[in-house]
Structure formats: structure tokens, C-alpha cells
Amino acid sequence: MTYRPSDTAPTASPAGSAHPSPPPGRTAAHPVRDWAVDDLPALTFDPLLSDVLHGERVARITLPFAGDRHEAWLVTRYEDVKFVTSDPRFSRTALTETTVTGMSGHRVASTAGLNYADPPYHSRLRKSVQKAFTGQAMKRLRPLAQETCDTFLDRMEEHGSPADLMEHLHAPVPLAVVCDLLGVPRDDRDGLVGWGDVILSMTTPKAGNEAKARVTAFIVDLLHARRDQPSDDLAGALAEAMGAGDITEAEAVSLATAILVSGAHAVRYNSANMVFMLLTRPELMARLRAHPQDLPQAVDELIRHIPHRNGVGLPRIATEDVEVGGASIRAGEAVYASYLAANRDPEVFEDPDTVDFDRQGTAHLSFGHGPHHCMGAMLARMESEVMVSTLLARFPDLRLATAPEDVPFQSKGFIRGPRVLPVAW
């Protein structure tokens, strides 16, 4: 049973409904919602997030794994999300010592890396790779991304209309860019495409752990090669830091894996979501064709508006009692912060459910906030700008080759997006 905003009456425990009575020490103001995180049509916003955002503000939830045995808090308002993700009383490191209700049966990220780290340890790790994501680095990478994009679209034209944009653009370009960033040899890239899909999905622990083991082995070999043959790519920088004793091998592997898997996988689907929206909203496509100079701002608005992931990311653990949004969160309890919901907060964004390429003012939170703000934000924006602008310039008659409702989206993935995006021109 799928959650609907009207599911307010207590029942046995269908997805999104409330338990018949609050847990010990809790009041009826925060009934526990079972959030199944079902697949939603295309880019539909999650109704549970919308319901909490406009109703409770802070909610109690259980997710598919650990279910009734564990509960967590969910915050959705913009200011609450910023507070939880930047206040040191909410810890990622503490996650390694507890079991939390979640969307997956396996740990997606290594506990040796950034995702489970708090400052100052987190700051030290981040510093070892931060230089690869500066504005100057993006200036160097953009021509390479443009060249890669042009090459793959040349091949798509040779293939002829219709064609699948996932195959010809959104899958290969982000992977190629992040491989160039890391220094992955071109001959070793073909086998990397599917690993991220398994790791970043609500899959079985066995499948997820097997995929992570394969990626880890690949990264270890790459770092060892760079240790023997230094280079100026990111893998070379990590190998150098590892050799100097600044970071351990486990930390270097975790950092490289996060950049490889998350970078390629997220931009693949995020950019495809943008193109799908433009193809299904002709007024938006027409606006960008008429005013191409507005593309950077339009891309940023699409990043704010599009629900680019399912459910929520990693939670944090309260290290002491804290009040958030009128809810008393106790030490040891898990708190999820929804950036997607925060981006739709009507107290912050005027008409938040509307795509407005002229939107000004408050920055969105799609790339996170606080110490864990995504260091690849500039890279993701740059790649999306290159892919979207090049498509619009090269294919003035670009259109979907099927009905929008027939475009298949991936199932049970953390990141949402089309599996196939058939277009004609």
C-alpha cells in the first residue's frame, strides 16, 4: 500500500500510515509513520515529504530496513534542516556505533570516509581532495567535458534518430569526466557503468556488498599504480597523501570510491531528469532556446525543483537532548534531514512547487549544508550545463520518441531518473 496524504487514520502498519499508539515516552503529536519509499511516477514529489512539510514539520518514521525495531526523526523545514546538518550536536560518526532504520540493508559508504566523519577529522579528509573541486579546477575540466559531450553526441548522430539519451549521453559523459578527474585509464572504464546502480539502490546486502568489494579492489589497484607512477590527477594526489602518512589506504579508497560512484551516478540521472522535464514542459524548453544566457540559472532552479533522490540520505545521531521544530529529540536518537522537502518550504520559497527560471534569493539545499555540503557541486552544475546547452544547440527539433508516461524510470534506487530516455530529432 502506497502512502497518500489522506492516510491519516491509524491502521495496522501500511506504508506511510501511523501506528495505533505512540511509542513509550512519545505523544500523539508525533505518530510513527512507516515509510516504504515506494517507486513514484517519473518526477512526482514524495507525498509523505509533502505531508510532513505542510503538516507536522517534524515527524517520526521507520524505513524498510530495521523497521519496527528502530525509529528516527524526520525534519523537513528549511531552517530545521540547516540546523540539524550544521549543529555539532548531531553526529555522523555516531552512526557507526548504532543500528538505524534505513533504506538499505547494507552500508552504502565506507565508515572510513567522509560520510561517517565529523569535524575536525572530516575537515582533514576533505582537505586532501578539496583542491580537485575548486573554481580553477572546473575551468580546466569544462573544455574536457565539452569535448567528451561533443564526441558522444557525434556518435548519437551517426546512430540516427531515434536514440537513447541515457546510452549516448547521460551515462557515458559523467563517467568519463569523473574518470578523467580521478585518472582512470580509458581502457578500464567500460566495466564501471553498472556498479553504482547496485551500490546506490535498495538492494540486498549481498549484492550491495559484492559491488562495493569490486569497486574497492579496482580503486586499490589504481592507487597502487599511482604510488609507483606519480601523476597530477586526483588518484595521484591521494596516493601521494597516503604515502606521506596524511591519510590511510582505507581513507584514500573511501574518498576515491565516493567520488567515482556518487559523482558519475548522481550526475547521470540528475542531468537526465533535467532533460526529461524540458522535453515534457515545452514552455521551459522554449524559454531556454530563446534565452540561452539563462541556462546556468535555469539549471540551478531545476536542481532545486526536481526530486532527484528517493527517500532521504544518511541520518545523524543526537549526542545530547536538542529541540528541533518544537520536537524534543533525545540523545542517541537518529535524525534524518530532507533537503528535497526543505527546497519546497513555502516559508522560504515563493510558490515552491513551480519551476521559475527567474527565481532569486535564498539558495537551495540540493547539495546539502554544513560540513557535508557536496564538494562536487560545481562539477555537477558544470556537467549539466554542458550537456543541456549542447543538446539544445545541436538538436533544435529534439523531442521524446515516446509518450512521457512510457519513459521507464529506475526502480528502488536512491537516485531517481530514467532508465531509458528515447528521443528523436
Side-chain angles (χ1 to χ4, degrees), residues 44-381:
T44 302
F45 194 74
D46 194 304
L48 184 142
L49 288 177
S50 181
D51 196 44
V52 174
L53 174 65
H54 294 284
E56 293 178 69
R57 179 172 182 160
V58 178
R60 295 283 290 175
I61 60 168
T62 62
L63 288 161
F65 290 86
D68 291 338
R69 295 182 292 107
H70 299 86
E71 298 166 3
W73 292 96
L74 171 67
V75 297
T76 56
R77 296 289 182 90
Y78 187 91
E79 292 302 328
D80 294 341
V81 168
K82 286 181 65 178
F83 174 69
V84 167
T85 54
S86 59
D87 192 290
R89 291 173 293 179
F90 296 97
S91 169
R92 279 280 185 83
T93 300
L95 279 173
T96 62
E97 303 169 357
T98 186
T99 300
V100 177
T101 182
M103 292 173 56
S104 172
H106 69 280
R107 289 190 189 273
V108 174
S110 167
T111 56
L114 289 170
N115 285 290
Y116 291 93
D118 296 329
Y121 172 61
H122 177 276
S123 305
R124 178 175 65 80
L125 287 182
R126 189 172 175 120
K127 184 178 179 181
S128 66
V129 293
Q130 189 67 52
K131 64 181 180 181
F133 298 96
T134 62
Q136 191 62 37
M138 294 308 103
K139 289 181 181 179
R140 293 195 303 269
L141 280 172
R142 190 173 189 121
L144 180 60
Q146 184 66 63
E147 180 183 353
T148 300
C149 184
D150 290 337
T151 297
F152 281 106
L153 288 181
D154 286 344
R155 294 175 187 174
M156 188 174 85
E157 283 198 278
E158 292 174 6
H159 173 278
S161 176
D164 175 19
L165 277 181
M166 299 307 296
E167 175 186 352
H168 291 281
L169 179 70
H170 298 295
V173 171
L175 179 62
V177 172
V178 79
C179 282
D180 285 331
L181 176 73
L182 270 169
V184 177
R186 294 185 180 274
D187 293 342
D188 295 341
R189 298 177 183 183
D190 290 343
L192 296 176
V193 174
W195 293 354
D197 289 346
V198 177
I199 294 172
L200 296 175
S201 67
M202 290 172 270
T203 185
T204 63
K206 183 175 185 294
N209 289 328
E210 286 178 351
K212 285 193 297 181
R214 293 179 63 189
V215 173
T216 296
F218 179 89
I219 294 296
V220 167
D221 288 344
L222 177 64
L223 292 176
H224 285 179
R226 290 295 180 274
R227 184 182 59 191
D228 297 334
Q229 294 182 320
S231 63
D232 59 0
D233 51 50
L234 183 54
L238 289 171
E240 182 180 353
M242 189 170 64
D246 296 333
I247 57 176
T248 67
E249 180 174 289
E251 291 166 345
V253 169
S254 178
L255 290 165
T257 301
I259 292 166
L260 175 61
V261 175
S262 297
H265 186 88
V267 177
R268 170 186 182 178
Y269 290 110
N270 291 353
S271 62
N273 286 334
M274 293 181 196
V275 173
F276 175 82
M277 177 164 282
L278 292 175
L279 291 170
T280 55
R281 296 279 302 275
E283 76 281 8
L284 298 180
M285 179 79 85
R287 163 69 184 271
L288 287 185
R289 289 195 184 282
H291 303 281
Q293 70 276 10
D294 294 342
L295 183 76
Q297 186 169 327
V299 164
D300 202 55
E301 170 67 354
L302 291 172
I303 291 171
R304 179 202 69 85
H305 176 84
I306 291 172
H308 61 276
R309 66 160 298 128
N310 285 318
V312 281
L314 284 174
R316 291 160 174 80
I317 303 296
T319 58
E320 60 183 79
D321 294 353
V322 188
E323 183 170 315
V324 180
S328 297
I329 297 173
R330 297 171 181 168
E333 293 184 326
V335 184
Y336 283 96
S338 174
Y339 297 122
L340 298 184
N343 286 342
R344 302 286 186 106
D345 188 340
E347 294 182 1
V348 176
F349 300 99
E350 183 179 356
D351 199 8
D353 297 327
T354 297
V355 179
D356 180 4
F357 289 164
D358 295 314
R359 190 180 298 279
Q360 301 288 334
T362 308
H364 63 72
L365 299 180
S366 293
F367 292 109
H369 180 70
H372 288 273
H373 180 273
C374 177
M375 58 187 165
M378 282 193 293
L379 179 63
R381 284 189 177 95

Side-chain angles (χ1 to χ4, degrees), residues 395-414:
F395 301 95
D397 297 320
L398 191 72
R399 61 193 181 276
L400 279 178
T402 188
E405 60 270 21
D406 292 332
V407 174
F409 275 64
Q410 68 165 346
S411 177
K412 297 299 179 185
F414 295 154

